[in-house]
């Protein structure tokens, strides 16, 4: 079977890792940077932007691809799945229409409203600053401001974290509308949800969902959850599939919401096939929807796919054949801690072209895994680009040991200009999360 993985980040590196564990698979890749991990596994690759749909389809045809897997959201928005389907190539990922659940935040909120899905937040979208001001005042500026389209996770501003009060909110509203951030002169204003965030990823065949262990990501750049929002600096998961602040019934509430969204998408005529991602806030009033992504999470995918014991390619085939209901899925009952190594200045102005030294063997010897992201391999050296460089994942029975393994492994990654959020997965930070949730529940 010829399998094509589109994308050259750590999320795609771990997908490639899962794919190559299947028997009788030949791996192909399209990536814009030369990811050294993917390079090693693929029988052939094309260095090309994932958004160059024509080139990707042409390559897939030339290589007789039987199954395409797509990591990032941008090619989904451009209709890569639709274009592959036209050529008779199967892709285990949503069509352009179904991917709107991620690529158009206003459409997503309207869909939730239309189908009365649980976990909604108050919201409205605006093209007019004066009207936006009235709504902001009505919500006492306890809001999140979101460009409508894709911004790589970096366009959202949250009250108390990134701005305070009506005037500061309005200044970002103007910035988004005037500069068409996210592609439109429009902004979505949402009620701010207060609580602890968690991610639920799942496989979907359009009707049946199989959910994966819950994960908590860390969006903020700096230790203690300060600084700019990023694509995600690291994440952890626990051996029981829950999180230290998340009970089974909270988890089930998230699953139920995803299930309702699947049904809504099906009724809208855009059946959702492929991996789906729910970002939720656990609040004192239950689980609220922050965003839905039409793909695996990055970094969250690095927490779950390494634990998968069921054949991943078979699962993808079952999603496509709409036979997920017949599948049993098995995971290693382990805890994981993933920390990203990013270039110094990431989130503001990354130091690009800086050398990173990786002792892969020592990383593996301490029981960790390493997934390359936006690095470029030139000759035999590895250099930073503007985005996240590589992810290291510690895996162990206990979360505490997974964190220690991750840190030990990170000592084998060196560079003069790299940055890591070392507090991710530490006992102190986890306790802070548990206490935060307890305080909210008691108040
Ligand atoms: P998004 O790109 O939608 O994931 O937003 C980035 C981050 O902003 C999320 O991971 C949350 O931490 C935060 N955020 C987004 N929307 C809200 C909201 N309505 N209330 C509170 N925080 C939010
Ligand atoms: N970790 C956030 C995302 O994948 O969008």
């Amino acid at each position: 079977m010829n399998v094509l993985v589109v994308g050259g980040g750590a999320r795609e590196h771990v997908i490639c890792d899962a794919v190559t564990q299947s028997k009788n698979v030949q791996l192909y890749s399209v990536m814009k940077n030369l990811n050294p991990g993917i390079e090693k596994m693929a029988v052939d690759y094309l260095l090309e932007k994932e958004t160059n749909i024509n080139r990707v389809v042409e390559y897939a045809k030339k290589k007789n691809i039987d199954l395409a897997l797509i990591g990032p959201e941008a090619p989904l928005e451009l209709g890569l799945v639709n274009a592959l389907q036209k050529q008779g190539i199967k892709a285990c990922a949503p069509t352009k229409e179904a991917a709107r659940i991620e690529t158009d935040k206003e459409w997503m909120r309207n869909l939730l409203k239309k189908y009365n899905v649980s976990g909604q937040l108050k919201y409205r979208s605006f093209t007019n600053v004066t009207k936006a001001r009235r709504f902001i005042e009505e919500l006492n500026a306890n809001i999140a401001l979101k460009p409508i389209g894709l911004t790589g996770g970096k366009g959202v501003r949250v009250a108390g974290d990134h701005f305070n009060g009506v005037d500061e909110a309005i200044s970002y509203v103007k910035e988004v509308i005037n500069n068409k951030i996210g592609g439109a002169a429009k902004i979505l204003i949402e009620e701010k949800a207060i609580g602890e965030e968690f991610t639920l990823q799942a496989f979907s065949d359009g009707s049946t969902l199989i959910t994966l262990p819950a994960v908590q990501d860390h969006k903020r750049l700096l230790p203690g959850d300060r600084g700019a929002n990023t694509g995600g600096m690291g994440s952890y998961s626990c051996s029981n599939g829950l999180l230290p602040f998340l009970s089974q019934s909270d988890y089930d509430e998230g699953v139920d919401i995803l299930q309702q969204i699947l049904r809504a998408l099906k009724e809208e005529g855009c059946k959702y096939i492929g991996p789906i991602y729910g970002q939720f806030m656990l609040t004192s009033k239950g689980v609220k929807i922050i965003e839905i992504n039409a793909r695996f999470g990055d970094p969250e995918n690095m927490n779950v796919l390494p634990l998968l014991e069921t054949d991943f390619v078979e699962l993808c085939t079952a999603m496509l054949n709409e036979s997920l209901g017949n599948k049993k899925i098995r995971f290693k009952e382990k805890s994981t801690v993933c920390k990203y190594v990013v270039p110094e200045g990431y989130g503001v102005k990354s130091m690009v072209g800086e050398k990173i030294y990786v002792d892969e063997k020592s990383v593996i010897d301490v029981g960790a895994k390493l997934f390359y992201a936006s690095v470029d391999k030139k000759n035999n050296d590895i250099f930073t680009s503007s985005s996240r460089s590589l992810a290291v994942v510690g895996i162990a029975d206990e979360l505490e040991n997974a964190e220690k393994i991750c840190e030990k492994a990170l000592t084998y990654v060196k560079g003069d200009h790299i940055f890591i959020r070392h507090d991710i997965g530490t006992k102190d930070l986890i306790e802070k999360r548990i206490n935060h949730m307890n305080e909210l529940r008691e108040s």
Side-chain angles (χ1 to χ4, degrees), residues 336-351:
T336 65
V337 173
C338 171
K339 303 194 198 198
Y340 251 121
V341 174
V342 303
E344 200 178 306
Y346 173 63
V348 188
K349 194 174 187 303
S350 297
M351 297 192 64

Side-chain angles (χ1 to χ4, degrees), residues 217 219 231 277 291 293 295 297-300:
D217 184 17
K219 287 257 176 190
Y277 165 117
E291 66 170 352
N293 290 335
R295 52 175 171 81
D298 186 354
E300 292 96 323

Side-chain angles (χ1 to χ4, degrees), residues 11 73 102 152-153 199 217-219 230-232 277 279 291 293 295-300 388:
R11 171 183 47 205
E73 59 277 20
E102 166 166 14
T199 300
D217 184 17
H218 298 70
K219 287 257 176 190
T230 67
Y277 165 117
Q279 181 81 36
E291 66 170 352
N293 290 335
R295 52 175 171 81
F296 284 119
D298 186 354
E300 292 96 323
R388 296 171 289 185

Side-chain angles (χ1 to χ4, degrees), residues 75-83 85-86 93-104 107-108 111 264-266 268-273 294:
L76 297 174
E77 181 179 37
L78 296 172
L80 177 56
V81 172
N82 310 52
Q85 281 173 350
K86 255 193 204 148
T95 58
K96 181 182 176 167
E97 292 75 22
R100 276 182 92 188
I101 198 73
E102 166 166 14
T103 61
D104 184 341
W107 186 83
M108 179 275 252
L111 184 86
L265 284 166
K266 197 172 174 186
E268 277 301 290
C270 36
K271 193 162 60 185
Y272 188 105
I273 289 183

Side-chain angles (χ1 to χ4, degrees), residues 311-331:
D311 187 295
F312 178 59
V313 174
E314 274 179 26
L315 278 170
C316 294
T317 309
M319 281 188 256
L320 279 164
N321 295 342
E322 300 183 33
S323 61
L324 216 47
N326 306 329
K327 277 273 230 243
K328 281 265 170 294
I329 190 168
R330 289 210 348 265
F331 279 99

